[in-house]
Amino acid sequence: AAVPHVRAMQQIGSGGILAALWELSEAAGAGFQVAMEQMTICQETVEICEFFGVNPYQMLSTGALLIAAADGEGLVQKMALEGIPSVVIGRTTSGKERILRNGEEVRYLDKPQMDEMYRVGR
């Protein structure tokens, strides 16, 4: 079977998933719509972030990748066969809007600021 076509890949580094989404969007010259509830975060991470008052979506996420593929579901299936957990979180759009959906709530992504971890040390 063919490997689903990967169009772009972005490491989720400093600034977290929101910075990676911004950078991938900038590089592609495209917008996106993302479902925040599709993003998985370990419960321990959620609790630590709540304790320190930081946003887990704006933190360094070493080892995680954001991948844009022509067939996201096909890529998720291929990765599952290799034991690699993944999920489709959204899609690119032809416009420039960077839309984050969380249930019924809709907001637009602003240019990311510094990584949340730097805020904790201050």
Side-chain angles (χ1 to χ4, degrees), residues 2-17:
V3 175
H5 180 68
V6 172
R7 295 188 174 172
M9 207 171 345
Q10 180 72 40
Q11 181 175 349
I12 303 176
S14 182
I17 182 72

PDB file of all heavy atoms in Angstrom, residues 2-17:
ATOM      1  N   ALA A   2       0.399   2.274  -0.632  1.00  0.00           N
ATOM      2  CA  ALA A   2       1.158   3.520  -0.748  1.00  0.00           C
ATOM      3  C   ALA A   2       1.164   4.271   0.577  1.00  0.00           C
ATOM      4  O   ALA A   2       0.226   4.195   1.353  1.00  0.00           O
ATOM      5  CB  ALA A   2       0.553   4.393  -1.835  1.00  0.00           C
ATOM      6  N   VAL A   3       2.261   4.993   0.807  1.00  0.00           N
ATOM      7  CA  VAL A   3       2.355   5.843   1.996  1.00  0.00           C
ATOM      8  C   VAL A   3       1.624   7.146   1.685  1.00  0.00           C
ATOM      9  O   VAL A   3       1.863   7.748   0.636  1.00  0.00           O
ATOM     10  CB  VAL A   3       3.834   6.122   2.344  1.00  0.00           C
ATOM     11  CG1 VAL A   3       3.940   7.094   3.510  1.00  0.00           C
ATOM     12  CG2 VAL A   3       4.561   4.828   2.650  1.00  0.00           C
ATOM     13  N   PRO A   4       0.711   7.588   2.576  1.00  0.00           N
ATOM     14  CA  PRO A   4       0.014   8.859   2.328  1.00  0.00           C
ATOM     15  C   PRO A   4       1.014   9.998   2.130  1.00  0.00           C
ATOM     16  O   PRO A   4       2.022  10.066   2.814  1.00  0.00           O
ATOM     17  CB  PRO A   4      -0.814   9.063   3.605  1.00  0.00           C
ATOM     18  CG  PRO A   4      -0.989   7.685   4.159  1.00  0.00           C
ATOM     19  CD  PRO A   4       0.283   6.946   3.804  1.00  0.00           C
ATOM     20  N   HIS A   5       0.711  10.858   1.182  1.00  0.00           N
ATOM     21  CA  HIS A   5       1.620  11.942   0.808  1.00  0.00           C
ATOM     22  C   HIS A   5       1.756  12.980   1.921  1.00  0.00           C
ATOM     23  O   HIS A   5       0.785  13.622   2.297  1.00  0.00           O
ATOM     24  CB  HIS A   5       1.123  12.609  -0.471  1.00  0.00           C
ATOM     25  CG  HIS A   5       1.985  13.727  -0.945  1.00  0.00           C
ATOM     26  ND1 HIS A   5       3.256  13.504  -1.428  1.00  0.00           N
ATOM     27  CD2 HIS A   5       1.786  15.050  -0.994  1.00  0.00           C
ATOM     28  CE1 HIS A   5       3.783  14.675  -1.757  1.00  0.00           C
ATOM     29  NE2 HIS A   5       2.912  15.617  -1.501  1.00  0.00           N
ATOM     30  N   VAL A   6       2.977  13.128   2.432  1.00  0.00           N
ATOM     31  CA  VAL A   6       3.265  14.146   3.443  1.00  0.00           C
ATOM     32  C   VAL A   6       3.666  15.414   2.711  1.00  0.00           C
ATOM     33  O   VAL A   6       4.593  15.416   1.903  1.00  0.00           O
ATOM     34  CB  VAL A   6       4.392  13.687   4.403  1.00  0.00           C
ATOM     35  CG1 VAL A   6       4.810  14.823   5.320  1.00  0.00           C
ATOM     36  CG2 VAL A   6       3.940  12.475   5.203  1.00  0.00           C
ATOM     37  N   ARG A   7       2.953  16.506   3.010  1.00  0.00           N
ATOM     38  CA  ARG A   7       3.220  17.776   2.334  1.00  0.00           C
ATOM     39  C   ARG A   7       4.165  18.665   3.113  1.00  0.00           C
ATOM     40  O   ARG A   7       4.909  19.433   2.541  1.00  0.00           O
ATOM     41  CB  ARG A   7       1.915  18.504   2.072  1.00  0.00           C
ATOM     42  CG  ARG A   7       1.044  17.749   1.097  1.00  0.00           C
ATOM     43  CD  ARG A   7      -0.148  18.538   0.698  1.00  0.00           C
ATOM     44  NE  ARG A   7      -0.855  17.811  -0.354  1.00  0.00           N
ATOM     45  CZ  ARG A   7      -2.015  18.163  -0.818  1.00  0.00           C
ATOM     46  NH1 ARG A   7      -2.618  19.230  -0.357  1.00  0.00           N
ATOM     47  NH2 ARG A   7      -2.589  17.460  -1.760  1.00  0.00           N
ATOM     48  N   ALA A   8       4.107  18.585   4.441  1.00  0.00           N
ATOM     49  CA  ALA A   8       4.971  19.410   5.286  1.00  0.00           C
ATOM     50  C   ALA A   8       5.055  18.788   6.662  1.00  0.00           C
ATOM     51  O   ALA A   8       4.166  18.058   7.077  1.00  0.00           O
ATOM     52  CB  ALA A   8       4.437  20.831   5.379  1.00  0.00           C
ATOM     53  N   MET A   9       6.149  19.089   7.358  1.00  0.00           N
ATOM     54  CA  MET A   9       6.350  18.568   8.703  1.00  0.00           C
ATOM     55  C   MET A   9       7.000  19.656   9.546  1.00  0.00           C
ATOM     56  O   MET A   9       7.866  20.385   9.059  1.00  0.00           O
ATOM     57  CB  MET A   9       7.269  17.341   8.638  1.00  0.00           C
ATOM     58  CG  MET A   9       7.057  16.375   9.732  1.00  0.00           C
ATOM     59  SD  MET A   9       7.942  14.798   9.543  1.00  0.00           S
ATOM     60  CE  MET A   9       8.489  14.686   7.892  1.00  0.00           C
ATOM     61  N   GLN A  10       6.575  19.781  10.792  1.00  0.00           N
ATOM     62  CA  GLN A  10       7.110  20.791  11.696  1.00  0.00           C
ATOM     63  C   GLN A  10       7.298  20.167  13.070  1.00  0.00           C
ATOM     64  O   GLN A  10       6.356  19.618  13.634  1.00  0.00           O
ATOM     65  CB  GLN A  10       6.137  21.972  11.791  1.00  0.00           C
ATOM     66  CG  GLN A  10       6.573  23.092  12.700  1.00  0.00           C
ATOM     67  CD  GLN A  10       7.712  23.896  12.108  1.00  0.00           C
ATOM     68  OE1 GLN A  10       7.741  24.178  10.915  1.00  0.00           O
ATOM     69  NE2 GLN A  10       8.660  24.259  12.932  1.00  0.00           N
ATOM     70  N   GLN A  11       8.515  20.227  13.600  1.00  0.00           N
ATOM     71  CA  GLN A  11       8.749  19.751  14.953  1.00  0.00           C
ATOM     72  C   GLN A  11       8.039  20.689  15.917  1.00  0.00           C
ATOM     73  O   GLN A  11       8.025  21.902  15.726  1.00  0.00           O
ATOM     74  CB  GLN A  11      10.237  19.724  15.275  1.00  0.00           C
ATOM     75  CG  GLN A  11      10.531  19.224  16.668  1.00  0.00           C
ATOM     76  CD  GLN A  11      12.018  19.092  16.931  1.00  0.00           C
ATOM     77  OE1 GLN A  11      12.837  19.173  16.018  1.00  0.00           O
ATOM     78  NE2 GLN A  11      12.369  18.888  18.172  1.00  0.00           N
ATOM     79  N   ILE A  12       7.425  20.123  16.956  1.00  0.00           N
ATOM     80  CA  ILE A  12       6.744  20.947  17.951  1.00  0.00           C
ATOM     81  C   ILE A  12       7.770  21.278  19.023  1.00  0.00           C
ATOM     82  O   ILE A  12       7.970  20.534  19.968  1.00  0.00           O
ATOM     83  CB  ILE A  12       5.507  20.249  18.525  1.00  0.00           C
ATOM     84  CG1 ILE A  12       4.558  19.880  17.384  1.00  0.00           C
ATOM     85  CG2 ILE A  12       4.807  21.154  19.548  1.00  0.00           C
ATOM     86  CD1 ILE A  12       3.343  19.099  17.799  1.00  0.00           C
ATOM     87  N   GLY A  13       8.454  22.380  18.818  1.00  0.00           N
ATOM     88  CA  GLY A  13       9.537  22.785  19.715  1.00  0.00           C
ATOM     89  C   GLY A  13       9.108  23.903  20.633  1.00  0.00           C
ATOM     90  O   GLY A  13       8.001  23.899  21.175  1.00  0.00           O
ATOM     91  N   SER A  14       9.973  24.879  20.786  1.00  0.00           N
ATOM     92  CA  SER A  14       9.717  26.021  21.660  1.00  0.00           C
ATOM     93  C   SER A  14       8.438  26.738  21.224  1.00  0.00           C
ATOM     94  O   SER A  14       8.232  26.984  20.047  1.00  0.00           O
ATOM     95  CB  SER A  14      10.900  26.987  21.596  1.00  0.00           C
ATOM     96  OG  SER A  14      10.684  28.073  22.458  1.00  0.00           O
ATOM     97  N   GLY A  15       7.571  27.025  22.175  1.00  0.00           N
ATOM     98  CA  GLY A  15       6.303  27.666  21.879  1.00  0.00           C
ATOM     99  C   GLY A  15       5.168  26.680  21.700  1.00  0.00           C
ATOM    100  O   GLY A  15       4.016  27.074  21.578  1.00  0.00           O
ATOM    101  N   GLY A  16       5.486  25.376  21.666  1.00  0.00           N
ATOM    102  CA  GLY A  16       4.466  24.341  21.632  1.00  0.00           C
ATOM    103  C   GLY A  16       3.721  24.196  20.318  1.00  0.00           C
ATOM    104  O   GLY A  16       4.138  24.697  19.275  1.00  0.00           O
ATOM    105  N   ILE A  17       2.591  23.504  20.401  1.00  0.00           N
ATOM    106  CA  ILE A  17       1.786  23.202  19.221  1.00  0.00           C
ATOM    107  C   ILE A  17       1.267  24.470  18.551  1.00  0.00           C
ATOM    108  O   ILE A  17       1.196  24.547  17.331  1.00  0.00           O
ATOM    109  CB  ILE A  17       0.616  22.241  19.555  1.00  0.00           C
ATOM    110  CG1 ILE A  17      -0.207  21.869  18.322  1.00  0.00           C
ATOM    111  CG2 ILE A  17      -0.313  22.827  20.613  1.00  0.00           C
ATOM    112  CD1 ILE A  17       0.464  20.946  17.362  1.00  0.00           C
TER     113      ILE A  17
END
